[in-house]
Structure formats: structure tokens, C-alpha cells
Amino acid sequence: ITAQCSFTSDQSPLTSKMAPFVFFCFLLLVLLTSIAPCSCSDSSSGGGGGGIPVGGRFSFSLSTFDQTGRLAQVEHATKAAALGPPVVAVSLSSGSGCVLASVFATPSPLVEDDGTARFVRISDTIAISHSGVSADGRAVIAAAQRMAVEHAYTFDEDDVPIDVFLEELSALFQRYTMKAGSRPFGCSVLVAHLPLTDNFEDAATSNGNRYCRLYRIDPSGSVQMITPICCIGGGNGDEIAQALEERGCAEAASIEDAETILLDVLRTELEKDSM
């Protein structure tokens, strides 16, 4: 039995052939360890929250909470949304309507259109606009249009209710903050709702005016109603909103007067940024 269990070099040719391979694997392991050492202290402090330094590199895991309770990828998406052109909406207090404006900028004088519609009509009472990453904005706009069509087909209603529309659109944004293999949308959305007087209790007036409501949806999926002046993108939305408020844009007597004030303020703010 002892003789059968003992091995010699003549009886094990496979062992002699494996020796160079094992030696090569050992050298490769030593080389990789010396080139990319792992820093356990950085990894434990960062928690893989997306953009946290780990061993001299960055961890771009999807929306993962770090130890401070922050979602770094959502914050990065919010910054990307603020890099887009400013989109401003003003709801007139007279109830005559709403004015939306944006800056159209092309990367070259040879480009006439970037292929992105900044303002899109969803229904008879809902219009939507976006700012930030244009490709993400187009995807969100297409999803919003699809929601309206599916609602009209399912419930035989020409106009989707604003609460249903906001709920489904915000759920789309929120879903992409935790969906595997995806990232948050790098855009913000401005929704203008101009309801009929008989369908909106706050808009009941004797002369039949309609009061527009403005909503903002950020990359995290949160919804805010901002009336009468709402601004997304541009990075200086607060300054634009303050300038419009000081000029009394929301109290303009007509839509034409509001357009004049709005364009004047946008032109002034852009000139400040270019200086």
C-alpha cells in the first residue's frame, strides 16, 4: 500500500508541467499587489457612496448611502441639471395665462438646431420643459407623452389629471435613483398646469380666468410647487427669479408685457455671466 501511494517524477509528469504555471501565477499576484495597494481606511470611511476615493481611485457605485446619509450620485445629477440653460416660467396673477422662456444656445454658428424641443405640450392643460443633460431630458419628455397617451386610452379622458401626472413622472425619476445598472437622470423638469375653472377650485373666478400652477421635479424625484415664478437650470435661477419679482413680471397686465420683462431680465443676467 505504501508503494502504491508514493509518487516519483516518472509517475507524475503533470506535476512537473504545472510548476512553471504556479510560479507565474505567484509572480503575477505579487506584481498586482505592489501596483494597486488597497486602502482599507478610505474604503471604510467612504462606504462606496459614488465618487468616494478608494485607494487613489473613485468608487462610482450606483446610488448607495454613505455614512453621512448622503446619495452622492443624486447630488452629482443635481449639479448636472443645474448646468443646463435657464428655463423660466411666470404665472400671471391676472389669470390670463403663463409665460415660459429659455435660452437657445448652439455649440457652433453652423448648427441651426440641437434637435431638442425645450417646451412640449402634453395635453390641453399641461406643458413641460427640461434643463440639464439634453439626452436625459428627451427621454423624460418621451416618457411623459407616453403616460398621457396611455391614460387617455385607458380611461377615455383627453386630459390627464395633474396629480396623477406628477405622481407617475416623479416615480420615474425616483425609480432611476435605485434601479440596478442605471443612473439618476441628469435633468430637472418644469411642469406648467393651466387648469379649467370648473375643474380647479382655487381658480374659480367670475370672469372665467385660469390660474397657472408651476411645479419643479428634480433628479431625486421630489416635486415642489413654485408659484408664481419658477426657474430651473442656468445655475443662477434664484437671481433670475428675484430680478423678475423686483420687475413685477407676475403682475404684468398682459402676456405681451410679461414677455418683454422676461426677455429683458434673461438678457441682463446672461450679460452678467459673460462678463
Side-chain angles (χ1 to χ4, degrees):
I1 297 176
T2 305
Q4 293 178 359
C5 292
S6 61
F7 296 95
T8 61
S9 60
D10 296 336
Q11 295 174 341
S12 58
L14 184 61
T15 305
S16 59
K17 293 180 180 180
M18 292 290 293
F21 177 74
V22 174
F23 181 70
F24 174 77
C25 291
F26 176 75
L27 290 180
L28 183 61
L29 180 61
V30 172
L31 181 62
L32 292 176
T33 305
S34 60
I35 292 177
C38 179
S39 175
C40 297
S41 60
D42 291 340
S43 176
S44 61
S45 61
I52 305 300
V54 179
R57 297 164 296 177
F58 281 83
S59 172
F60 289 100
S61 63
L62 297 181
S63 304
T64 304
F65 287 100
D66 58 13
Q67 292 184 348
T68 62
R70 300 168 59 187
L71 291 173
Q73 289 288 22
V74 175
E75 294 180 358
H76 298 336
T78 303
K79 293 179 181 179
L83 297 178
V87 178
V88 186
V90 179
S91 175
L92 301 184
S93 59
S94 61
S96 56
C98 176
V99 180
L100 295 92
S102 179
V103 177
F104 181 78
T106 57
S108 170
L110 302 178
V111 178
E112 295 183 357
D113 189 3
D114 60 355
T116 301
R118 193 65 60 188
F119 304 100
V120 178
R121 173 181 173 272
I122 301 299
S123 66
D124 293 338
T125 61
I126 298 177
I128 189 173
S129 180
H130 64 92
S131 181
V133 181
S134 297
D136 291 359
R138 288 195 297 267
V140 173
I141 295 297
Q145 292 175 322
R146 186 165 54 251
M147 291 176 191
V149 172
E150 291 177 353
H151 181 87
Y153 179 79
T154 303
F155 299 98
D156 194 18
E157 294 179 353
D158 295 335
D159 192 13
V160 55
I162 186 60
D163 54 344
V164 175
F165 179 78
L166 292 175
E167 181 180 358
E168 294 187 3
L169 194 60
S170 62
L172 175 67
F173 273 89
Q174 194 276 334
R175 187 160 56 249
Y176 272 83
T177 64
M178 55 188 300
K179 184 178 180 181
S182 62
R183 58 165 176 80
F185 286 108
C187 65
S188 297
V189 168
L190 189 153
V191 179
H193 179 228
L194 190 63
L196 299 174
T197 55
D198 54 354
N199 294 332
F200 196 65
E201 59 276 8
D202 293 340
T205 57
S206 58
N207 55 2
N209 289 337
R210 298 187 294 173
Y211 293 89
C212 184
R213 297 295 183 267
L214 306 176
Y215 304 89
R216 181 178 64 191
I217 306 177
D218 61 20
S220 66
S222 64
V223 183
Q224 294 178 323
M225 186 176 73
I226 303 177
T227 302
I229 300 173
C230 181
C231 182
I232 61 174
N236 57 346
D238 295 337
E239 298 178 1
I240 295 177
Q242 183 178 0
L244 290 173
E245 186 175 358
E246 293 175 354
R247 294 283 299 272
C249 186
E251 289 77 22
S254 62
I255 293 181
E256 290 75 13
D257 295 341
E259 290 177 352
T260 302
I261 297 174
L262 183 55
L263 293 177
D264 188 26
V265 170
L266 283 177
R267 187 181 299 108
T268 303
E269 293 298 329
L270 290 178
E271 291 176 353
K272 289 181 181 180
D273 295 338
S274 61
M275 293 178 60

